[in-house]
Amino acid sequence: MRNQLHVTAKEQETAVLVAVPQWRQTDEKTKEYLDELAFLTETVGAKTLKRFIQKLDKPDLRTYVGKGKLEEIVAYVKEHKVDMVIFDDELSPSQVRNLERELQVKIIDRSLLILDIFALRAQTATARAQVEMAQYQYLLPRLTNLWTHLSRQRGGGVAMRGPGETEIETDRRIVREKISLLKEKLEKFEKQNFEQRKSRSGIVRVSLVGYTNVGKSTLMNLISKSDVFAENKLFATVDATVRKVVIDNIPFLLSDTVGFIRKLPTKLIESFKSTLDEIRESDLLLHVVDVSHPSFEEHIGVVNETLKDIQSAEKPVILVFNKTDLYLQEREQELQEHSPEARPDISDLKSSYMAKEHTPAVFISAANRTNIDELREVLLQHVSRIHLERYPNNQAPQEW
């Protein structure tokens, strides 16, 4: 018995996904949204077992889904011993309490899931404090009877990063004190970041923006010849990263920022003020788009709306359509299958978008380094023009 081996690795948590699309939403769009939710679930290390969908005019105020659908979910959760149920919307505190009472497992909504991913990804002290404050702000109105079933579990897992189990049982006063302390800490970080950004005056600043997982970090590495973390997962980059780049003796600063996503928690946007200031204070935005994604146009809209929310929508933009290699592969497959909805040729796409948006647009593949020279040329033209306009007397920007 002394030599007997015991498995100490933690078993992968299991989840079911729940969505309540409006009647006018197509089945294809519902599947796409749940695919994204499943990707978020996979990113935090959980396994999706099943998806539940119920079309309603609006979610049920008490339990999000109707009585019959809830009974169906309860039966499945019990039979398969599911660890958590994840909803594709933000739930109200009362909905969370009612669902926990009925399901007796962890109830995770979209906002909490995204917060958990940010907690997993945050590396710097600033990012960790930003995520922790957003978690406490989310937690504050949900303290009453929140996750009471945890006393019967071994603890940890999805949605338990950051504040942790012991903090969940604290009262509102302590949570408010935590938020107050974190705000003070973030104010100090903000002053430091402001001084750092001020020291970079006299040089053009460019920020990479876009929907999450579109290849911003890969492009950052390609342009700046750096080693920013890049991975095929949502929110692989949470902390803003700044690199100095020189093209044809013209220097500029390039920032890689956190990716956007639909229904991004408002509290998270508020908490990440200093990180998003890299975008607000940029002279030029490189809006990176995954052109191979079937809903890339909707993703462009989500990013544009988020830029409006942070008062950055009027900045000069270069649209960078990335992953053209995947786009061409999928188009070829559609043509072979004689699909009536086969995607247009890249040349047609270029023409339509350049005419429609009246914005410089470059089609590239960062992974294959396709058309990068054209991107560098367009980028150089814009940076040179902005530099002459902003800093006419500073032909040799200072080092930083």
Side-chain angles (χ1 to χ4, degrees):
M1 292 294 291
R2 290 182 179 177
N3 295 326
Q4 185 176 351
L5 297 177
H6 297 275
V7 178
T8 58
K10 187 177 178 181
E11 290 186 7
Q12 184 178 27
E13 290 185 283
T14 56
V16 296
L17 312 182
V18 182
V20 176
Q22 294 183 346
W23 285 106
R24 65 177 178 269
Q25 184 170 299
T26 65
D27 292 342
E28 182 180 343
K29 184 61 66 176
T30 300
K31 178 183 180 301
E32 178 194 322
Y33 288 165
L34 280 173
D35 284 345
E36 183 176 86
L37 189 64
F39 200 1
L40 286 165
T41 303
E42 177 189 337
T43 301
V44 296
K47 179 181 179 182
T48 300
L49 298 183
K50 189 175 176 63
R51 304 177 179 190
F52 291 91
I53 301 170
Q54 184 179 34
K55 284 198 172 185
L56 298 172
D57 289 333
K58 58 182 179 180
D60 187 278
L61 289 175
R62 182 178 175 275
T63 56
Y64 186 75
V65 294
K67 182 178 179 182
K69 181 61 68 175
L70 181 59
E71 291 174 353
E72 184 183 343
I73 298 170
V74 169
Y76 185 90
V77 166
K78 288 182 178 178
E79 181 183 354
H80 295 85
K81 298 180 179 178
V82 177
D83 296 306
M84 72 192 84
V85 181
I86 301 176
F87 294 80
D88 192 35
D89 280 299
E90 182 168 320
L91 301 174
S92 68
S94 62
Q95 285 175 326
V96 172
R97 290 193 294 271
N98 293 332
L99 288 165
E100 282 216 331
R101 186 166 53 249
E102 296 288 340
L103 290 162
Q104 295 295 301
V105 295
K106 275 192 286 189
I107 302 301
I108 313 293
D109 64 14
R110 183 182 178 86
S111 293
L112 184 58
L113 188 61
I114 292 174
L115 286 171
D116 196 51
I117 295 173
F118 272 66
L120 182 68
R121 298 294 193 207
Q123 298 296 321
T124 66
T126 301
R128 287 195 293 268
Q130 289 167 331
V131 175
E132 190 175 356
M133 187 170 78
Q135 286 177 313
Y136 278 121
Q137 289 173 328
Y138 173 93
L139 175 64
L140 186 58
R142 296 169 171 83
L143 282 173
T144 307
N145 297 325
L146 185 61
W147 294 321
T148 53
H149 67 280
L150 284 174
S151 60
R152 298 189 296 275
Q153 298 207 10
R154 295 183 179 179
V158 175
M160 298 306 301
R161 300 180 180 90
E165 285 180 83
T166 56
E167 295 300 333
I168 290 171
E169 298 172 356
T170 60
D171 60 20
R172 286 183 173 85
R173 178 183 58 80
I174 295 176
V175 172
R176 288 193 182 102
E177 288 175 358
K178 291 277 189 180
I179 292 173
S180 179
L181 289 172
L182 285 166
K183 283 182 177 178
E184 291 178 9
K185 184 185 291 187
L186 286 171
E187 285 175 3
K188 292 179 182 178
F189 287 145
E190 171 58 23
K191 288 179 181 178
Q192 294 171 2
N193 292 334
F194 175 76
E195 291 300 323
Q196 187 178 32
R197 289 193 298 270
K198 193 166 67 172
S199 70
R200 303 170 188 164
S201 60
I203 186 167
V204 175
R205 293 161 63 177
V206 182
S207 284
L208 290 159
V209 299
Y211 207 77
T212 184
N213 202 40
V214 295
K216 296 189 305 299
S217 296
T218 302
L219 187 58
M220 173 81 165
N221 291 336
L222 193 59
I223 295 175
S224 65
K225 299 178 182 178
S226 61
D227 55 354
V228 175
F229 179 69
E231 186 180 7
N232 185 31
K233 281 191 176 181
L234 302 180
F235 305 115
T237 300
V238 170
D239 305 281
T241 307
V242 183
R243 296 286 184 270
K244 185 175 182 180
V245 180
V246 180
I247 301 178
D248 288 353
N249 295 321
I250 301 295
F252 60 93
L253 300 180
L254 182 64
S255 302
D256 183 20
T257 59
V258 64
F260 301 145
I261 195 169
R262 67 185 186 90
K263 301 179 185 177
L264 191 66
T266 304
K267 294 299 183 186
L268 196 60
I269 295 177
E270 293 173 2
S271 297
F272 268 69
K273 179 183 180 299
S274 62
T275 300
L276 296 173
D277 277 343
E278 289 291 347
I279 298 174
R280 291 189 187 98
E281 298 178 15
S282 292
D283 302 300
L284 175 67
L285 302 180
L286 287 184
H287 182 169
V288 186
V289 180
D290 177 3
V291 73
S292 69
H293 197 287
S295 293
F296 72 86
E297 292 175 277
E298 182 182 349
H299 291 177
I300 292 173
V302 169
V303 173
N304 288 339
E305 284 301 313
T306 308
L307 290 173
K308 285 182 183 178
D309 291 341
I310 62 173
Q311 293 80 48
S312 300
E314 302 303 319
K315 294 184 179 295
V317 177
I318 299 174
L319 273 175
V320 182
F321 291 92
N322 191 25
K323 304 189 182 183
T324 54
D325 54 325
L326 297 179
Y327 180 92
L328 293 172
Q329 290 174 17
E330 291 167 10
R331 180 177 186 272
E332 183 63 29
Q333 183 177 346
E334 290 168 350
L335 291 175
Q336 290 177 358
E337 296 172 353
H338 303 288
S339 171
E341 298 181 356
R343 306 177 189 204
D345 186 74
I346 285 287
S347 59
D348 296 331
L349 207 57
K350 286 181 181 179
S351 175
S352 65
Y353 258 91
M354 295 183 79
K356 180 180 177 182
E357 299 290 338
H358 302 288
T359 300
V362 184
F363 289 73
I364 69 165
S365 169
N368 291 350
R369 304 194 174 195
T370 303
N371 216 24
I372 299 302
D373 287 343
E374 180 183 345
L375 174 59
R376 288 177 181 273
E377 183 178 340
V378 172
L379 183 55
L380 178 61
Q381 290 173 357
H382 281 71
V383 169
S384 298
R385 177 179 54 78
I386 292 171
H387 181 75
L388 289 173
E389 290 174 355
R390 297 282 176 87
Y391 316 111
N393 299 320
N394 184 6
Q395 300 304 315
Q398 64 190 45
E399 295 292 332
W400 65 284

